[in-house]
Amino acid sequence: MIKTDILIIGAGPTGLFTVFEAGLLKLKCHLIDALPQPGGQCSELYPKKPIYDIPGFPEILAGDLTSNLLEQGKQFQPGFTLGERAETIEKQNDGSFIVTTNKGTQHHAPIIAIAGGLGSFEPRKPKLEHIEKYEDKGVNYFIKDPEVYRDKKVVIAGGGDSALDWSIFLADVASEVTLVHRRNEFRGALDSVEQVQELKWLNKINLITPAEITALHGENKIEGVSVTKDGETQTIEADAFIPLFGLSPKLGPIANWGLEIEKNAIKVDTLDYQTNIPGIYAIGDVNTYEGKLKLILCGFHEATLMCQSAYKRLNPGKKFVLKYTTVSGINGFDGSRKESPKAIVKAIV
Ligand SMILES: Cc1cc2nc3c(=O)[nH]c(=O)nc-3n(C[C@H](O)[C@H](O)[C@H](O)COP(=O)(O)OP(=O)(O)OC[C@H]3O[C@@H](n4cnc5c(N)ncnc54)[C@H](O)[C@@H]3O)c2cc1C
């Protein structure tokens, strides 16, 4: 069982910044995300797009913002459970919570911060008979660790950036890479399309278009797939089948946690972004209140106020004086640092 002070569901920009704000208050965080990497929409949907409305950054790529947030929070050593979806929540007699993921990992915390954005990104699955039987037994909808495919025969399906980029990457890792797409044209970056064509001429990628995977084969794990092109079907040997058809966000299991939901978002009190269940907060894109704006900077603000409220909840009666990080540093928020602001400033300069 993983134990922490604040369990954050969602490692998008809001969840990542919560780690920093909580860290200033000496509260430990652990993050769960259904995606295999942190960053939420920024890393999944638009890592190479510039954002122009992050205070202090006239322009920053969404991917770089994610890296910076991770760097900023690193000093507080957050834990991560990635590639797992928070599925159920159980309130304990002492008011704390146990959150269990779809893979059975259990997390125990007195405070829950739901930073689930648009919801968990669920992979779009191809409609193939018995596909569930092969999930995690050769069929995967994300690539968490490409090394798993070293010297294996891999079949990838899809026509977007993920399918192209992973085919290119795995061409040097797997023993055989087959890319199947139902059209001749791809939706991904032109440069990636060209690289795939080049690798095809070098016999490093077996490109089959326009074609579709029509059946999966294997006793207890994937051993082959059927590919149908121009009405003719062939069976290819395969150790892995990776359909990369994109992700669609769904509020998912969180919608069944007894929280007040309005228009697919969680209603909160703007005093501290707490939900109708004491101890459970909702911050960032996942919440709703009058005047709500789904912007990263609003998520940062909500995370900050939420952490103050969580601190008070965990330390009833303890006096808390807000200090600027410029004055206290990042470790001085518990009052242990006794120097006057002037002395600290002098020491720094
Ligand atoms: C193309 C595009 C451009 C944008 N440009 C801007 C911009 O210029 N400026 C701006 O301020 N905003 C912009 N946005 C919006 C911005 O990305 C969002 O406001 C921001 O990502 C919200 O952050 P978040 O952390 O609240 O949620 P998200 O980024 O959505 O992250 C939520 C995370 O929670 C995870 N999750 C959800 N449910 C579960 C669960 N049950 N278990 C485990 N994990 C779960 C999801 O997998 C996801 O990773 C843009 C959005 C898009 C799509």
Side-chain angles (χ1 to χ4, degrees), residues 9-16 32-35 37-42 44-46 49-54 81 84-87 114-121 250-254 257 283-286 293-299:
I9 297 166
T14 307
L16 292 178
I32 308 179
D33 205 298
L35 293 173
Q37 78 284 324
Q41 294 171 52
C42 292
E44 190 56 39
L45 301 180
Y46 61 107
K49 274 198 169 145
I51 307 177
Y52 301 101
D53 55 353
I54 302 298
T81 300
E84 299 188 27
R85 191 182 56 229
E87 199 73 25
I114 302 175
L118 304 174
S120 62
F121 288 96
K250 288 200 178 75
L251 194 52
I254 295 170
W257 287 4
I283 49 178
D285 275 16
V286 80
L293 290 177
K294 291 193 180 191
L295 286 175
I296 294 167
L297 72 94
C298 298

Side-chain angles (χ1 to χ4, degrees), residues 162-217:
S162 290
L164 292 165
D165 292 348
W166 280 117
S167 299
I168 296 164
F169 188 90
L170 290 178
D172 281 332
V173 176
S175 63
E176 202 176 289
V177 174
T178 302
L179 174 60
V180 179
H181 180 40
R182 64 195 163 100
R183 296 207 179 87
N184 282 325
E185 304 75 34
F186 286 89
R187 280 176 282 111
L190 195 59
D191 179 51
S192 310
V193 178
E194 282 171 6
Q195 274 193 66
V196 164
Q197 293 293 354
E198 252 173 61
L199 289 165
K200 179 191 165 185
W201 300 128
L202 294 170
N203 281 328
K204 292 188 87 175
I205 290 180
N206 176 21
L207 183 63
I208 313 182
T209 61
E212 274 188 77
I213 304 292
T214 43
L216 306 176
H217 310 283

Side-chain angles (χ1 to χ4, degrees), residues 38-321:
Q41 294 171 52
C42 292
S43 56
E44 190 56 39
L45 301 180
Y46 61 107
K48 301 283 180 215
K49 274 198 169 145
I51 307 177
Y52 301 101
D53 55 353
I54 302 298
F57 288 92
E59 179 180 336
I60 184 165
L61 294 182
D64 290 346
L65 177 66
T66 302
S67 306
N68 287 358
L69 287 165
L70 282 165
E71 182 63 31
Q72 197 173 16
K74 193 172 76 180
Q75 58 208 317
F76 298 117
Q77 298 168 334
F80 286 93
T81 300
L82 295 175
E84 299 188 27
R85 191 182 56 229
E87 199 73 25
T88 60
I89 189 162
E90 291 161 70
K91 194 166 184 171
Q92 307 301 294
N93 290 337
D94 64 356
S96 63
F97 302 91
I98 291 181
V99 172
T100 307
T101 69
N102 59 330
K103 302 246 164 106
T105 314
Q106 291 203 303
H107 308 75
H108 184 211
I111 301 285
I112 306 294
I114 302 175
L118 304 174
S120 62
F121 288 96
E122 302 294 325
R124 292 198 184 94
K125 301 183 183 183
K127 289 192 178 74
L128 285 169
E129 220 179 323
H130 308 309
I131 190 161
E132 317 76 44
K133 170 178 139 185
Y134 297 109
E135 284 173 1
D136 292 328
K137 292 181 184 125
V139 168
N140 283 97
Y141 306 103
F142 300 114
I143 296 181
K144 268 206 226 173
D145 175 11
E147 274 306 310
V148 169
Y149 303 106
R150 183 159 296 278
D151 302 326
K152 298 270 166 66
K153 292 179 175 157
V154 177
V155 176
I156 294 177
D161 280 314
S162 290
L164 292 165
D165 292 348
W166 280 117
S167 299
I168 296 164
F169 188 90
L170 290 178
D172 281 332
V173 176
S175 63
E176 202 176 289
V177 174
T178 302
L179 174 60
V180 179
H181 180 40
R182 64 195 163 100
R183 296 207 179 87
N184 282 325
E185 304 75 34
F186 286 89
R187 280 176 282 111
L190 195 59
D191 179 51
S192 310
V193 178
E194 282 171 6
Q195 274 193 66
V196 164
Q197 293 293 354
E198 252 173 61
L199 289 165
K200 179 191 165 185
W201 300 128
L202 294 170
N203 281 328
K204 292 188 87 175
I205 290 180
N206 176 21
L207 183 63
I208 313 182
T209 61
E212 274 188 77
I213 304 292
T214 43
L216 306 176
H217 310 283
E219 268 299 303
N220 300 314
K221 60 178 184 57
I222 282 288
E223 289 165 17
V225 300
S226 291
V227 184
T228 304
K229 177 176 157 67
D230 301 330
E232 284 191 18
T233 300
Q234 57 168 317
T235 297
I236 304 178
E237 254 186 72
D239 304 301
F241 171 50
I242 313 169
L244 296 173
F245 292 165
L247 302 166
S248 64
K250 288 200 178 75
L251 194 52
I254 295 170
N256 309 322
W257 287 4
L259 300 161
E260 256 185 82
I261 308 278
E262 193 179 272
K263 290 189 199 137
N264 220 22
I266 303 170
K267 274 178 88 172
V268 288
D269 183 343
T270 46
L271 183 75
D272 56 1
Y273 304 99
Q274 205 156 179
T275 66
N276 58 312
I277 303 180
I280 304 186
Y281 298 79
I283 49 178
D285 275 16
V286 80
N287 75 15
T288 185
Y289 51 84
E290 208 184 324
K292 167 74 184 177
L293 290 177
K294 291 193 180 191
L295 286 175
I296 294 167
L297 72 94
C298 298
F300 290 168
H301 164 79
E302 292 163 13
T304 309
L305 295 196
M306 174 252 132
C307 285
Q308 299 288 327
S309 170
Y311 178 89
K312 286 180 199 145
R313 213 181 146 74
L314 293 174
N315 300 281
K318 195 165 170 186
K319 202 165 171 240
F320 174 75
V321 185

